[in-house]
Amino acid sequence: MTGAIKTLTDLRRIEAAVRIICDRCGERVLLDREAMLHDRTARHLSLSWDAVQADQRCRKCQSAAVRVEALPFGEKNRALRRARAEAMLINLALHILAEAARRSTQGAVGTIEVRLALRVLHPFLRDENLLREYWRNAVEEPRQGWSSCHLPYRWIVTRLVEKGYAVEAGLR
């Protein structure tokens, strides 16, 4: 990429993360650009680089005196790469579970894909009861009028968001 950064999406071209440095307390925070993109898009905020820089505050002291930098990925950013990989896994699994939840009002959806998606989410949730409840509703036969996977799905998403994982806005 040549030239100045104009939008948050420009960071995709250089595979960059966002670093916020507080001028008041010295706090340094690395943020995942994809999580920022999802968050700002869901809240209908501008993606222009100037707006992103103006909106940031220090997470520690809440000061607006912060510098916002684009930080290209390198060896130092293994934690961000791992977080992005985890977010991709989680969101792919949630796409499968959301589609199964939509179909669950029509019949059983206990497929191998649903089992795999639940297994993928296990290390992130660390709550077998939520996953078992989803599976129990997925395989229930005969179906009752009120039985579906919608409620267990919402519980799973809520727990992931509470734990701080980046869940796509369309899956919430």
Side-chain angles (χ1 to χ4, degrees), residues 39-154:
D39 180 55
R40 292 185 72 84
T41 303
R43 294 189 301 147
H44 303 289
L45 297 174
S46 173
L47 297 179
S48 79
W49 187 242
D50 293 334
V52 170
Q53 289 178 312
D55 291 347
Q56 300 304 314
R57 296 207 173 271
C58 177
R59 306 255 166 137
K60 187 175 180 183
C61 69
Q62 297 301 315
S63 169
V66 295
R67 286 179 281 138
V68 181
E69 303 173 344
L71 185 66
F73 275 122
E75 289 299 311
K76 294 189 264 185
N77 295 332
R78 284 187 182 163
L80 280 176
R81 285 185 187 196
R82 182 181 174 116
R84 181 171 301 153
E86 288 174 351
M88 288 173 61
L89 275 175
I90 289 169
N91 287 309
L92 285 172
L94 288 177
H95 275 286
I96 292 167
L97 296 182
E99 181 58 34
R102 279 190 280 282
R103 294 190 325 260
S104 69
T105 57
Q106 308 300 316
V109 292
T111 63
I112 192 74
E113 293 86 7
V114 171
R115 278 184 75 182
L116 180 60
L118 293 170
R119 182 66 186 110
V120 164
L121 292 176
H122 181 265
F124 305 108
L125 283 174
R126 297 283 185 209
D127 188 348
E128 289 185 29
N129 293 331
L130 285 177
L131 302 173
R132 285 186 181 170
E133 184 63 25
Y134 188 100
W135 182 251
R136 196 173 8 257
N137 287 340
V139 297
E140 184 178 23
E141 285 289 341
R143 300 300 279 183
Q144 304 298 322
W146 61 83
S147 64
S148 74
C149 297
H150 289 287
L151 188 58
Y153 174 77
R154 285 195 302 260

